Amino acid sequence: MKFLHTSDWHLGRSFHRVNMLDAQAAFIDHLVATVEEHGVDAVLVAGDIYDRAVPPLPAVELYDRALHRLAALGVPTVMISGNHDSARRLGVGAGLIEGAGIYLRTDPAGCSDPVVLADVHGDVALYGLPYLEPALVKEALGAPKVSHEAVLGAAMDRVRADLADRAPGTRSLVLAHAFVTGGQASDSERDITVGGVEAVPAAVFDGVDYVALGHLHGCQKINERIRYSGSPLAYSFSETDHRKTMWLIELGAAGELVTAERIDTPVPRALGRLRGRLEELLEDPALDAHEDRWIEATLTDPVRPQDPMARLAARFPHVLSLAFDPEGREEDGTASYAQRLKGRTDQEIAEDFVAHVRGGGRADDAERAVLRGAFDDVRTQAVNQETLR
C-alpha cells in the first residue's frame, strides 16, 4: 500500500515580504498530480496546514480547493492539526466530510480511533495524533506529568492498546506533530519547548510500522520507520540548502517498508545567502548564479556603506534580507542586541537576564524552574486565546 507523506504547508505564510500563495497553489497542483501519477492509496498530512490559528481567507479558499480535488480522486486523506493550527477550527465539519474520504484528526480524545484501510494483505490502521499541548491535554490523556514526552507517551499507549485488539497482522501508521530527538531544526518552526525539554525520544513511537511526522521543516529520517517530510516550500533562509520533498512510502504485506522515495516539490525561486563586503558582493563574477535568487545578504564592511540595499538590488533584484556583521565586531563589542540573541531560546535569554541584574552568578535550579513554569503558562494562555478568538 502506497502513502504520500507531507506536512507543514503553512498556507497563508509569506517569505519575508513575498506572498507565497501562488507557490502554495502550485504545490497543491503538484500534490494532486503525484497522487494520480504514482497510484497513491492515501495521503498523510502531518499538521500545520495553516500558518496561524485564524488564517487569511485566500489561504482558507486554497485549502478548500485542495480538499475538493483530493476527494474527487477518491483517495483517502488523513490530516492532523499542528501547533500553528487552531485544532477546533480545522476540525469543524470533520464528521461530515469523512463521507468524502477526508479524515481530520484534531481532537486528542480521538487519537486511538484509526482510519482503517484494506488491501489484499489485510487492514492498515492509520492513527492521527494532533499536536498535543501538554498543559491542555495532560488530564484528558491521563499523562503522568506536563511534558511532550508524557502526553505523546499516553497517546501512544492508547494507540497500542487499540492495535492489540485488532486482527493479528494489522499494519499501522501514526501521524504526529512533534520535535523528536535527532531531528534537525531550522529558523522557521515555532518553538514548542515545554519544561525545558525540546525533544521526545523516538522510542515513544515503538510498536507501529511507520510514523509520519510534522513540525520540522527539513525532510529527514529519525530512523527507517520514523520520518519528517519537511515543509514543501522554504520559509526561512536557514532552509537554503534544503531539498524540498514529500515521502512516497510503500508498506509491504507484513508492515515492512518496501520503498521510501523522495518526491521533489516545485521551487518558486532558489535561495541564496551572501556574506562579505558590499563592493566584493557587487563585483564578484562567481556570484552570477545568485542574481535570480531570493537573497539574504550579510555585509561585513567595518563601516556601514551608504544605500546598501539599493546597491545590492541593482545586481540582485530579489534581495529580501540585509544584515550587518562588521569585521572585528566581536572584538569591539558592537554586536547588535538581535545578533547577540540569535539562536538563543527564551529560557536562555531569561537566565542571562537574571545573571545580569544580580551582577554575576547563573540562575540556580529553583530559579530556572520558576522561569520554565512562567514560559509554559504564557504559551498555554496564548494557545487558549487563539482557540477562543
Side-chain angles (χ1 to χ4, degrees), residues 1-7 27 30-45 75-76 173 210-213 219-221 224-225 227-230 243-252 256-265:
M1 191 173 286
K2 290 183 180 180
F3 301 91
L4 189 63
H5 167 197
T6 177
S7 72
F27 161 69
H30 177 70
L31 171 72
V32 171
T34 300
V35 171
E36 292 183 294
E37 178 184 351
H38 292 276
V40 170
D41 295 296
V43 176
L44 315 176
V45 189
V75 176
L173 288 88
Y210 183 76
V211 181
L213 291 175
C219 182
Q220 55 198 286
K221 62 180 183 180
E224 285 302 313
R225 67 180 187 87
R227 298 169 186 251
Y228 283 98
S229 66
R243 175 188 165 198
K244 295 299 183 181
T245 60
M246 302 176 285
W247 283 113
L248 181 63
I249 299 296
E250 185 174 1
L251 285 187
E256 74 279 13
L257 196 62
V258 176
T259 58
E261 179 185 354
R262 292 179 68 179
I263 305 293
D264 290 291
T265 55

Side-chain angles (χ1 to χ4, degrees), residues 361-373:
R362 306 292 298 173
D364 60 27
D365 289 344
E367 290 167 332
R368 286 196 291 270
V370 170
L371 291 170
R372 283 197 298 270

